[in-house]
Amino acid sequence: MQTKTTKTILLNEWRLLAADRTLRIVLPLFIVLFAYALANGMAWVRFQEYTVQVVREGNVQRTEGLERELTAIQNGAQPSSPFRDPRNANVMGGRRGARAVALDPGPLTALAVGQSDLLPYYYDVSIYTNETTFLQNGEVENPLNLMVGRFDLAFVAIYLLPLLVLAMGFNVLSGEREQGTLALTLSQPVSARRFVTAKLAFRAILVLAAAIGVSLIGILISGGFGSTGPLGRVLLWCAALTVYALFWFALTAWVNSLGRSSSWNATVLVGAWLVLVVVLPAAINIAAGLLHPLPSRVEMITAQREASNDAVNRRSELLARYLEDHPELTGGDATDEPNRAALAWAATDAVNQRLEEVSERHRMGRDEQNELIRRYRFFSPALLVQELLIDAAGTGDARFARFQSQVRAYAGQWQSFFVPAILAGEKMSADVLPTLPGFNFVDESLGDVGQRATVPLSALIILVGLVGTGAWVGLGKVRGAG
């Protein structure tokens, strides 16, 4: 009997929704927004892929140019400039022979741009790579995009999907009461709990079918299924969307169980959306910036300028100290008449050490900000689902931090290759080019992503359970004559 009643409720819901002119407009509108957000995300991925391709082609062209000139010099030609002689280790290992390293777009970047438009995804690595390299982004980005974020599927899911849920469920019980049909419905062998659950479940299927369906289409079109660990990331994305939508459906059920009017329900639910999605995340971010301010880039530039001026005046002293600290580079003997390249490198190393001090304070402040946000993100389901979505997409802080860490290690390998030659005054030839250190980014495993996702996903599920329990208790008190 109860199964038959549930089927009757679902069939009736389908007829009501099909006849509801507002919902017939709202639901297709959101599907259009999903599609537009997906197209916007895919456009960003194409731009990023093109940039990475140009960067890597630049490496090939740069190496071929060095090889041609070195071969020509070996055959008797003169260097194009004595200051750009590729036979000098500081030239080949410097900006002229720099290697550009790039991070490919994340597996699901088309769905969530995340931090990929804020954090650099390519660097030029040379012997002069230092902390300022990692604080600069070569791309000129629209400031409005950086301020409000890109309109991608994650944006629609976090900010607009709750509004769709609220529009479809704010009067799921109060509307029946106001139309005078609630008492008749509850006189049948069905409880308010079962009645509301069936109605909201039907709406949830429609909402999630649209959101997850567009997501899967986007993954298929963008080639996400052909990347590393796609299935696990797709499942995490779908799970995050589902739990987040269920939170808002549970909230609508709870508010409906309070027995107020539809207009009151709408006001309360929109207020909850404003607080949980807009106000709380903004307040937490502002608090993080105020309590743990980062050193300004002006301080970094000033420190670099002061260190450069001081290093130029003390190059010989710095070189002697450098060779004392690294006797393995010269066999333990510091040359009495160091070459200019060696003097320049000693000054560069001194500047790098000064910049490392400023950069360390910057990293500490950033870590403290992130820790504060992680501590209080549990108060906002929007922050939790944002963390899950960008992590599933591979556009979160963790993947970029991993890339930067490997670039730092590669820069150390590059310097270790060229610095001994600079100090010894060795000459380079075309035979050296194939032996230069190479860069190969080792991406994170699905286990790493899953481990990070455990806490926010569990917290989101707990929130759904708490709100759902409140709704369950409230609906148990509903009577048809109420």
Side-chain angles (χ1 to χ4, degrees), residues 90-139:
N90 64 316
V91 173
M92 181 180 288
R95 292 180 179 85
R96 187 175 181 193
R99 284 288 175 89
V101 296
L103 175 66
D104 290 310
L108 308 182
T109 300
L111 307 186
V113 172
Q115 302 295 309
S116 64
D117 59 343
L118 289 173
L119 301 177
Y121 54 93
Y122 64 90
Y123 297 99
D124 282 332
V125 175
S126 71
I127 59 173
Y128 302 112
T129 298
N130 56 30
E131 291 306 315
T132 58
T133 305
F134 299 102
L135 293 178
Q136 296 173 354
N137 190 346
E139 296 294 339

Side-chain angles (χ1 to χ4, degrees), residues 279-316:
V279 176
L280 271 179
I284 293 173
N285 284 324
I286 292 173
L290 292 176
L291 295 176
H292 305 290
L294 298 179
S296 67
R297 293 197 177 190
V298 174
E299 181 180 354
M300 175 72 77
I301 296 173
T302 302
Q304 182 180 24
R305 186 174 300 165
E306 292 176 351
S308 298
N309 294 335
D310 180 65
V312 169
N313 297 327
R314 300 172 52 236
R315 286 183 298 180
S316 297

Side-chain angles (χ1 to χ4, degrees), residues 102 124 413 427 434 477:
D124 282 332
Q413 296 174 11
K427 294 295 184 181
K477 302 175 181 179

Side-chain angles (χ1 to χ4, degrees), residues 228-439:
T228 304
L231 182 58
R233 291 180 180 273
V234 171
L235 291 176
L236 177 58
W237 175 276
C238 295
L241 281 183
T242 301
V243 178
Y244 187 60
L246 290 179
F247 169 82
W248 291 102
F249 275 112
L251 187 61
T252 60
W254 193 359
V255 172
N256 270 275
S257 72
L258 300 179
R260 299 297 191 92
S261 65
S262 296
S263 58
W264 188 89
N265 291 351
T267 302
V268 170
L269 289 171
V270 170
W273 172 84
L274 187 63
V275 171
L276 296 177
V277 177
V278 180
V279 176
L280 271 179
I284 293 173
N285 284 324
I286 292 173
L290 292 176
L291 295 176
H292 305 290
L294 298 179
S296 67
R297 293 197 177 190
V298 174
E299 181 180 354
M300 175 72 77
I301 296 173
T302 302
Q304 182 180 24
R305 186 174 300 165
E306 292 176 351
S308 298
N309 294 335
D310 180 65
V312 169
N313 297 327
R314 300 172 52 236
R315 286 183 298 180
S316 297
E317 176 188 345
L318 293 171
L319 178 59
R321 184 181 302 172
Y322 183 86
L323 294 176
E324 288 177 2
D325 294 337
H326 303 83
E328 71 280 0
L329 297 180
T330 58
D333 297 324
T335 178
D336 295 330
E337 297 182 359
N339 57 61
R340 292 183 179 180
L343 291 172
W345 169 251
T348 299
D349 184 69
V351 172
N352 292 345
Q353 292 181 17
R354 287 281 297 276
L355 294 179
E356 179 65 31
E357 297 174 3
V358 179
S359 178
E360 181 62 25
R361 294 201 300 273
H362 187 278
R363 283 198 295 268
M364 290 177 60
R366 185 181 57 199
D367 291 342
E368 290 172 343
Q369 285 187 353
N370 291 336
E371 180 60 30
L372 187 146
I373 293 174
R374 282 194 296 268
R375 188 182 307 126
Y376 293 104
R377 72 189 189 278
F378 302 106
F379 292 100
S380 171
L383 286 178
L384 292 172
V385 77
Q386 181 182 41
E387 181 180 351
L388 289 168
L389 293 181
I390 65 176
D391 223 358
T395 55
D397 291 334
R399 187 166 182 262
F400 282 93
R402 184 184 183 91
F403 172 61
Q404 191 177 97
S405 175
Q406 293 183 31
V407 173
R408 289 177 189 274
Y410 178 60
Q413 296 174 11
W414 191 267
Q415 291 176 358
S416 298
F417 186 92
F418 283 102
V419 170
I422 292 174
L423 298 179
E426 296 178 2
K427 294 295 184 181
M428 302 286 104
S429 66
D431 297 334
V432 174
L433 295 175
T435 66
L436 294 180
F439 179 80

Side-chain angles (χ1 to χ4, degrees), residues 70-93:
L70 286 168
T71 302
I73 292 174
Q74 188 176 357
N75 293 332
Q78 294 297 318
S80 57
S81 168
F83 301 104
R84 291 171 51 83
D85 189 342
R87 292 174 299 177
N88 296 332
N90 64 316
V91 173
M92 181 180 288

